[in-house]
Amino acid sequence: MNHDHDPVFDPTDRHADRPTWGQPPSRASISVCIATYRRPDRLGHLLDDLVRQSLLPLEVVVVDNDATGSAREVVAWRRARGCPFELVYGTQPEQNIALTRNRSVALAHGSWLAFIDDDERAAPHWLADLVEAACQHAAFGQDAADAVLGPVVPLLPETAPAWIRAGDFYRWPRSRTGAIVPLNRLRFGNVLVRGALLRDRESPFDPAYGLTGGEDGELLGRLVQQGARVIWCDEAVVTEPVEASRQNLRWLMLRGLRGGQDYARHRLSGRFGRLGLAGRAGLMVRSAAQCAVALVLVPLGALLGRHRAAQALILAAANAGKVSGCAGWHYREYATTAGAAS
């Protein structure tokens, strides 16, 4: 889950010597990159959405993280129906979300890369909105922002339990268009990035995060530290259906645990500033105390509804994740059959 209670740093003061990476995006310079794993129906719907974009990309790159190539038929089906852009298909047989994303970068030719998840749906103006934000919200004497993030809106089915609906567990914070995205809210799933930022290194996404997740925030955090300017576009909405397998307390607590571990890894790596031995010990002690307080709040929250108790348990899991992350243990969420590209 997100960590709004953690420190938020404004990176705008880091750009005095900001380098130039290229020109503003246009149709002829955009590749849409999709990492996929055993979601042929969802992928097919997404490809249909991309065909209907008001601003069409140069190409769409699909990289299949299923060694059996389960997405190949979907891509062939879309090609047979006609595509107004080049549709590229590649595979990454080793289950690893970072390697899969890296493969999509290697196959893409565009000077700007748009990333969208295989279970998301894009409105007709999605890509155009990202591009417009990149061009209009320039700063520091440059032509465009270096990356633009948009919201991912969860869609709960009518059959979702009442406590799931009341808890609003899947929502991510949103900002005004043009605002700098805080370091603790950096993620992929709906983003447009200058290709040069990703191509100047052999493995832009760190394979060490390939089975745990968190490779997206880690990459964007590094780019910001190197001078990249990441802004928000609130109009570029994509939607994501919340699968039945995620509508339970176990999944929510495990996602909270992983989020806490991601935060700890990023703190230890220096993403939020240098952290010495004393800082590391302080983080562990503070997180352990916050975990204990959250557990105490569970029965009190239950008096206000099951969703309140669940929120306290998720907060406890997130802080337990920080402690375990500092200790070096990481939950490998994507080493399961749930899929490496989810």
Side-chain angles (χ1 to χ4, degrees):
M1 315 311 289
N2 66 71
H3 300 279
D4 293 341
H5 54 283
D6 292 324
V8 177
F9 292 82
D10 184 350
T12 54
D13 61 347
R14 303 185 182 196
H15 302 283
D17 299 318
R18 180 176 175 276
T20 300
W21 277 297
Q23 298 300 314
S26 65
R27 177 204 184 273
S29 65
I30 301 172
S31 299
V32 175
C33 298
I34 306 169
T36 189
Y37 182 83
R38 296 184 180 178
R39 285 176 173 154
D41 292 340
R42 297 280 176 85
L43 177 62
H45 292 315
L46 174 57
L47 292 177
D48 287 345
D49 290 345
L50 297 180
V51 166
R52 303 186 186 105
Q53 290 297 298
S54 61
L55 175 66
L56 292 167
L58 166 73
E59 63 183 0
V60 172
V61 177
V62 176
V63 177
D64 195 347
N65 200 195
D66 181 6
T68 66
S70 57
R72 183 177 286 106
E73 290 187 9
V74 178
V75 172
W77 170 82
R78 182 65 260 178
R79 285 174 178 157
R81 295 187 63 187
C83 271
F85 44 70
E86 184 75 15
L87 184 52
V88 180
Y89 176 80
T91 59
Q92 169 52 52
E94 178 183 348
Q95 190 173 10
N96 184 300
I97 180 59
L99 291 178
T100 305
R101 292 194 193 276
N102 285 339
R103 178 66 173 153
S104 71
V105 173
L107 291 175
H109 296 90
S111 56
W112 287 77
L113 309 182
F115 292 82
I116 186 169
D117 289 348
D118 63 347
D119 60 342
E120 294 173 349
R121 301 296 303 271
H125 294 285
W126 164 69
L127 192 56
D129 286 335
L130 288 175
V131 169
E132 182 178 4
C135 295
Q136 288 192 357
H137 295 276
F140 311 107
Q142 303 299 316
D143 293 315
D146 303 302
V148 182
L149 270 64
V152 178
V153 176
L155 298 180
L156 278 169
E158 295 182 359
T159 56
W163 69 273
I164 288 282
R165 288 186 170 277
D168 199 20
F169 299 107
Y170 309 93
R171 180 185 60 84
W172 282 78
R174 295 171 69 164
S175 302
R176 61 174 176 80
T177 297
I180 295 291
V181 180
L183 285 172
N184 66 340
R185 296 182 187 173
L186 296 172
R187 58 172 297 201
F188 272 56
N190 180 9
V191 62
L192 177 70
V193 188
R194 289 186 188 270
L197 274 70
L198 307 184
R199 295 191 177 103
D200 66 354
R201 63 206 76 213
E202 183 177 351
S203 297
F205 296 93
D206 188 346
Y209 289 80
L211 295 179
T212 63
E215 80 295 335
D216 50 353
E218 191 278 334
L219 170 62
L220 285 173
R222 272 191 286 123
L223 295 180
V224 169
Q225 288 179 321
Q226 294 166 11
R229 179 171 175 266
V230 183
I231 68 167
W232 184 260
C233 177
D234 204 52
E235 293 79 20
V237 174
V238 301
T239 58
E240 178 183 36
V242 179
E243 298 178 1
S245 62
R246 299 183 177 188
Q247 298 171 36
N248 59 78
L249 184 59
R250 179 180 182 276
W251 187 90
L252 291 167
M253 290 184 66
L254 286 174
R255 178 51 65 96
L257 176 78
R258 201 206 85 180
Q261 291 181 340
D262 285 349
Y263 177 79
R265 291 176 85 173
H266 297 156
R267 285 298 305 273
L268 296 177
S269 70
R271 174 174 150 187
F272 296 115
R274 187 174 179 180
L275 189 70
L277 290 177
R280 179 171 181 159
L283 175 61
M284 295 184 71
V285 170
R286 185 169 61 253
S287 300
Q290 290 173 340
C291 179
V293 170
L295 289 174
V296 170
L297 293 175
V298 172
L300 298 177
L303 297 176
L304 300 175
R306 183 178 175 182
H307 65 291
R308 296 299 186 192
Q311 289 168 344
L313 284 169
I314 294 166
L315 180 59
N319 281 286
K322 294 177 188 177
V323 175
S324 58
C326 288
W329 178 74
H330 304 293
Y331 167 54
R332 297 171 57 174
E333 179 176 2
Y334 298 131
T336 70
T337 56
S342 59

